[in-house]
Amino acid sequence: LLWVDAKKYYPIKAEAYLNSGKLYKKMRYTINDALVKNIEYTSPDISSKKTLMHFNKVAEKKLPKRFFTSHGMRAKLTK
């Protein structure tokens, strides 16, 4: 599940569930200048531990259309 800001369409938080329906991870997003700066991951079983993914630099990169096929997603992308 993904919660999105209704006016700006930015992600706010998300929850990932296993096929069994059990909550697996919670994610909280920090937005700065219209870009995701941080994603904080927590597990419901271990609430005292977190994983923080911090994005220092974001760059636009053109990807070939073949990249978005099921075969292309498994292949390594070459420069």
Side-chain angles (χ1 to χ4, degrees):
L1 298 173
L2 178 65
W3 283 259
V4 177
D5 182 283
K7 292 182 181 178
K8 296 180 181 179
Y9 303 108
Y10 299 155
I12 299 169
K13 67 179 182 176
E15 293 178 350
Y17 291 85
L18 300 173
N19 284 338
S20 65
K22 181 181 177 183
L23 179 62
Y24 176 63
K25 294 280 183 193
K26 288 185 176 185
M27 291 79 72
R28 290 212 170 266
Y29 298 84
T30 304
I31 309 295
N32 188 7
D33 297 328
L35 296 171
V36 174
K37 288 301 279 183
N38 297 311
I39 304 174
E40 180 183 289
Y41 296 86
T42 56
S43 298
D45 298 341
I46 312 169
S47 60
S48 63
K49 292 189 179 184
K50 302 182 215 184
T51 300
L52 182 65
M53 185 182 299
H54 179 75
F55 299 91
N56 286 327
K57 183 178 178 183
V58 179
E60 184 176 336
K61 183 175 182 177
K62 300 272 184 192
L63 297 173
K65 288 184 180 180
R66 66 176 169 77
F67 183 76
F68 296 100
T69 65
S70 58
H71 177 72
M73 289 184 177
R74 288 186 293 251
K76 290 184 178 181
L77 190 63
T78 59
K79 292 185 179 183

